Each structure stands twice: as C-alpha cells, then as structure tokens.
C-alpha cells in the first residue's frame, strides 16, 4: 500500500503553549508535531492512517 495516496484531514489542536498538536500530510509525507506529552498520540494517529482508516479532526481519537 502506498501511504502517500491515502486521504488525511489535517488535525490542529492549539489549546495553549503546553497543549498543542498538529498532524498533516504534506507532499505525500506524514508530519506530526506537538507538545512534550503528544508523542504517543501522534504515533497513534499515524498508525491509524497507515492502516487505511479515515482520519479527520472529528474522529482522530476514537
């Protein structure tokens, strides 16, 4: 499966300087960044996307 062809809706959470995360696909590459507590969540989102599950800002944490 080629991941660069999968749909991905950008996720942008900006609650404060200590609570933020941004995940997107740009030029066919997954980019996930966030505060120091978000690494596991960023990886979880990538894993769901790579398993061909639709990711949107409404269902990323299900």
């Amino acid at each position: 499966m080629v991941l660069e062809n999968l749909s991905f809706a950008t996720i942008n959470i900006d609650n404060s300087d200590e609570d933020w995360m941004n995940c997107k696909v740009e030029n066919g590459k997954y980019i996930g960044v966030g505060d120091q507590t978000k690494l596991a969540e960023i990886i979880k989102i990538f894993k769901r996307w790579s398993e061909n599950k639709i990711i949107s800002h409404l269902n990323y944490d299900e």
Side-chain angles (χ1 to χ4, degrees):
M1 173 191 325
V2 178
L3 296 179
E4 67 186 350
N5 296 328
L6 292 179
S7 175
F8 188 93
T10 297
I11 297 168
N12 188 33
I13 298 171
D14 189 8
N15 295 322
S16 71
D17 288 345
E18 291 83 33
D19 184 11
W20 64 276
M21 179 176 68
N22 182 276
C23 299
K24 62 185 176 180
V25 172
E26 190 172 279
N27 298 321
K29 295 180 183 172
Y30 176 83
I31 301 169
V33 295
D35 67 62
Q36 61 186 0
T37 67
K38 299 295 189 290
L39 180 59
E41 189 68 19
I42 291 167
I43 293 169
K44 177 181 167 184
I45 292 167
F46 174 81
K47 184 176 182 292
R48 291 193 59 182
W49 175 63
S50 70
E51 292 171 343
N52 202 14
K53 296 180 181 176
I54 300 298
I55 300 293
S56 76
H57 67 283
L58 300 176
N59 73 352
Y60 81 91
D61 60 350
E62 294 179 355

